Structures are given as structure tokens and as C-alpha cells.
Amino acid sequence: MRLPSGHGREPLELKMTPMIDVVFLLLVFFLWTSSFEEPEFLMPSAIADPPLAAGAEATLQPPPASEPFDEIIVRIQWTSGAATLLFNDQPLPSLDALRQRLQAILDVGVLPPVIVDPDPEVPMGDAIRVYDTARSLGFDRVLFAARADAAPPSSN
């Protein structure tokens, strides 16, 4: 179909308002979906280290600030009739020290999964206390580690 040339043609007018609206909506979308939080592994170690109370022992070793952790592993070992806690392979003196360390991580604003890894000799009550401590602080992913060498229960 041919259009007649030269007769009745109006000059082509380009409207800028719809294009400005689309650009504005894209700008709003990208601002709303972007994250302005600083990643925890770039924060100074003073933020990640919990402050020690007066008279408290300075034996707690915080995790290295340069290495981000994707998960927290709380290992429970049974030595000489008592449970010993390891927080990412660093010993903790008590369950209260574990609570302080987990609270310091929450204060930074991250929620990595907490994996409770009890030795086979550890009473289930000690493992449940560690689990309950993490859940009571607000960690929503608290898991138990499973041993690959453990035999499945017999069906007899």
C-alpha cells in the first residue's frame, strides 16, 4: 500500500515524556533492588569482635576478619567427661561464650547457617542446648552434621 507523497503529511513529532517516564521507572527499579550494605568480610575486625567484659579472659580468638564465612560450625567434643565447644575450630570456654559470639555475628547483620557437629560420645542434651542457643538468638538455619562413616540403623 502506497501512501501519497507530500499531501496531508504532518511533520513527525517525537514525544519525550513517555521515554523520560520509562527511564525514571528503571532508575527507581535499580535503586530499590540494589544493596547498600557493606559485605561483612570488608568490615573492620572491631565490629566483628565482641567486646570483653571487665575481668573477662582474653582467650577468645575471633575468626579472621579477612576470610568471610559462609557457615558456622560448632563442634562439640567429649573430653574427660565434659563437652568442649569449638567455634569454627576455635575453642570456647562455655555455652555463654558461644552465645556472645553468635550475638556478635547477628549484630553485624548476617545470618549464616549454624552447623552443630557433636562427637558420637556427646550426650544428646549437650547438642540440643547448642541448637537451642542458636535458635533462641534468631538463627533460622541450624543444622546437625551427619557422619559419612556412620552405619544406617538395621531394619531388624
Side-chain angles (χ1 to χ4, degrees):
M1 176 178 206
R2 289 186 84 188
L3 295 176
S5 61
H7 296 291
R9 272 190 145 178
E10 296 179 16
L12 188 62
E13 186 177 324
L14 197 60
K15 300 195 187 247
M16 294 297 291
T17 305
M19 186 169 33
I20 291 172
D21 288 344
V22 169
V23 170
F24 178 72
L25 287 174
L26 284 173
L27 178 67
V28 169
F29 171 77
F30 287 120
L31 284 175
W32 275 85
T33 58
S34 63
S35 175
F36 294 107
E37 294 181 16
E38 186 176 1
E40 68 273 2
F41 58 88
L42 295 178
M43 291 186 172
S45 62
I47 294 173
D49 296 342
L52 294 175
E57 295 180 9
T59 59
L60 298 177
Q61 298 292 328
S66 62
E67 295 180 20
F69 50 87
D70 296 326
E71 59 192 16
I72 299 168
I73 300 174
V74 179
R75 180 128 190 237
I76 308 171
Q77 295 178 335
W78 192 253
T79 54
S80 61
T84 305
L85 299 175
L86 296 173
F87 181 88
N88 287 350
D89 294 328
Q90 296 176 355
L92 291 176
S94 67
L95 197 58
D96 288 331
L98 174 66
R99 180 183 308 274
Q100 290 174 357
R101 184 69 60 92
L102 291 174
Q103 185 62 49
I105 291 171
L106 282 176
D107 291 342
V108 172
V110 294
L111 272 173
V114 177
I115 299 173
V116 180
D117 184 13
D119 282 348
E121 303 85 26
V122 173
M124 186 54 72
D126 291 336
I128 296 297
R129 277 190 281 282
V130 171
Y131 177 88
D132 287 344
T133 299
R135 290 291 293 172
S136 68
L137 288 173
F139 285 91
D140 56 352
R141 292 184 295 163
V142 183
L143 313 166
F144 281 99
R147 304 238 183 259
D149 57 348
S154 63
S155 60
N156 293 339

